[in-house]
């Protein structure tokens, strides 16, 4: 039975398009709270990600995700899993992890329940619908840098050009400074005094890692 063309299954809305734009080409994707698996289907079908894991805590959405994947003819590239938060994943199994469309407190609880999120190399694309400041502060307290930089994506500097920076370690001299600058702007414009203290301490530690 022929598969249905992906563009006729589910188009991404503006919210999911924003998350998709931040996924690194060539990365293995995990979409937590995937619902109908629109995001992983689109990214795998477009060749952005070679493989993906689509996970949801509820059986109904997980079954809907399986149907979407089957209709797209991508069952060999996208696994659908049932489970709470990050529990269906093992450390290192995915390179870019999207947790989108939930409240900040819910995302924070998901991260706290998986100790491996503090492992080096964990990259999360988080899209809190509420309590974003609470999540930002938790991330900084746990050594993560909330980056608000979209320069590479706006300029089309993705794919091999982006990954070459990651593999060579030059990411510390390119994207890392941009992340710290945009974080500083966030702290100045929006953060509470307590969050500013946490953020500035993190920035000071991270600046010491930049060699050039």
């Amino acid at each position: 039975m022929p598969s249905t063309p992906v563009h006729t299954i589910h188009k991404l809305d503006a919210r999911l398009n924003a998350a998709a734009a931040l996924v690194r080409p060539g990365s293995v994707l995990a979409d937590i709270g995937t619902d109908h698996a629109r995001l992983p289907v689109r990214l795998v079908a477009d060749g952005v990600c070679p493989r993906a894991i689509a996970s949801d805590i509820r059986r109904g959405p997980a079954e809907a995700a399986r149907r979407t994947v089957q209709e797209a003819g991508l069952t060999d590239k996208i696994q659908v899993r049932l489970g709470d938060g990050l529990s269906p994943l093992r450390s290192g199994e995915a390179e870019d992890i999207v947790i989108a469309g939930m409240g900040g407190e819910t995302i924070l609880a998901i991260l706290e329940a998986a100790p491996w999120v503090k492992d080096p190399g964990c990259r999360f694309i988080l899209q809190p619908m509420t309590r974003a400041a609470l999540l930002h502060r938790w991330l900084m307290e746990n050594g993560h840098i909330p980056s608000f930089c979209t320069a590479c994506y706006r300029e089309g500097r993705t794919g091999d050009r982006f990954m070459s920076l990651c593999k060579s370690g030059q990411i510390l001299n390119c994207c890392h400074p941009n992340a710290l600058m945009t974080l500083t702007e966030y702290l100045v414009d929006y953060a509470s005094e307590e969050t500013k203290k946490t953020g500035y301490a993190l920035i000071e530690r991270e600046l010491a890692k930049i060699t050039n």
Side-chain angles (χ1 to χ4, degrees):
M1 179 178 177
S3 61
T4 305
V6 172
H7 68 271
T8 67
I9 299 175
H10 288 298
K11 292 183 178 180
L12 299 184
D13 58 19
R15 181 179 66 80
L16 287 179
N17 266 320
L22 296 173
V23 174
R24 296 172 296 180
S27 65
V28 176
L29 172 72
D31 183 29
I32 308 302
T34 194
D35 197 15
H36 286 71
R38 295 180 179 91
L39 182 64
V41 163
R42 173 59 63 184
L43 290 171
V44 172
D46 287 353
V48 177
C49 298
R51 294 182 291 109
I53 298 165
S55 172
D56 206 285
I57 190 174
R58 295 173 296 165
R59 190 171 299 278
E63 289 301 323
R66 287 191 178 91
R67 289 193 296 271
T68 303
V69 172
Q70 290 170 355
E71 290 171 8
L74 295 172
T75 55
D76 59 330
K77 296 181 179 180
I78 301 176
Q79 295 182 21
V80 178
R81 300 179 184 177
L82 181 66
D84 187 2
L86 294 169
S87 63
L89 293 182
R90 296 185 301 274
S91 176
E93 196 172 16
E95 295 162 311
D96 277 13
I97 302 172
V98 176
I99 310 178
M102 305 178 194
E105 290 175 311
T106 300
I107 295 175
L108 191 157
I110 288 172
L111 296 175
E112 282 190 323
W116 55 262
V117 303
K118 299 179 183 179
D119 293 351
C122 277
R123 182 175 186 269
F124 292 92
I125 298 166
L126 306 176
Q127 193 182 71
M129 306 304 288
T130 61
R131 304 298 300 276
L134 179 71
L135 180 60
H136 295 155
R137 182 177 168 189
W138 183 91
L139 289 168
M140 290 186 288
E141 288 174 343
N142 286 273
H144 292 285
I145 304 171
S147 174
F148 301 87
C149 180
T150 59
C152 284
Y153 304 97
R154 286 186 282 108
E155 294 298 321
R157 295 193 294 269
T158 57
D160 291 340
R161 296 179 67 185
F162 187 92
M163 294 308 291
S164 65
L165 294 175
C166 296
K167 292 175 181 177
S168 66
Q170 285 300 309
I171 197 83
L172 284 175
N173 295 324
C174 299
C175 298
H176 195 206
N178 284 342
L180 296 178
M181 285 189 288
T182 57
L183 174 57
T184 301
E185 292 174 351
Y186 163 78
L187 294 173
V188 170
D189 292 339
Y190 301 108
S192 67
E193 290 304 315
E194 195 167 358
T195 298
K196 285 179 181 179
K197 291 178 182 178
T198 302
Y200 290 143
L202 173 66
I203 290 169
E204 186 174 350
R205 293 194 301 271
E206 293 298 321
L207 285 174
K209 299 177 183 179
I210 301 175
T211 57
N212 295 325

